[in-house]
Each structure stands twice: as C-alpha cells, then as structure tokens.
Amino acid sequence: MAFGNPGRKRAPLGVFLMLAALVVAAFIGATAGLVWQSSGWFSEDDPQEVVTVEAPGE
C-alpha cells in the first residue's frame, strides 16, 4: 500500500539556494571578523608612547 499520491509533484526544498546562502553568510562573517580584528576599533589598550629622540640633559 503506497502512502500519498505518486503523481503529485513535491515542493522543492531549495537546498542549493540554502547552501549558497550559508556559504555567502560564512564568507561575509569571516571577512567582517577579520576587518574587526585588524582595525582595533573599541580597543581598550592605551597607545604606547614612542620615544624617537632623547630629551637633552637626561
């Protein structure tokens, strides 16, 4: 005994579309993470003082 109507078309799941969306989202997320990491925005570290020439008398 078969269940359902064998002549009826099944709705497409859009697997390839979901896979493409997942790949694009992963690429955008990785790019945004690398930009955020390298930019140093909202960094709590204080910039270090760079001494290029010693002060006279010291």
Side-chain angles (χ1 to χ4, degrees):
M1 175 182 204
F3 293 107
N5 188 357
R8 183 176 158 208
K9 284 196 137 196
R10 294 173 51 175
L13 295 177
V15 173
F16 294 113
L17 181 62
M18 287 188 281
L19 178 64
L22 179 64
V23 169
V24 169
F27 180 75
I28 291 173
T31 304
L34 288 173
V35 168
W36 183 274
Q37 180 182 9
S38 66
S39 68
W41 294 335
F42 303 110
S43 175
E44 294 181 7
D45 298 335
D46 294 330
Q48 298 291 331
E49 181 179 341
V50 179
V51 179
T52 55
V53 178
E54 291 186 19
E58 290 185 14

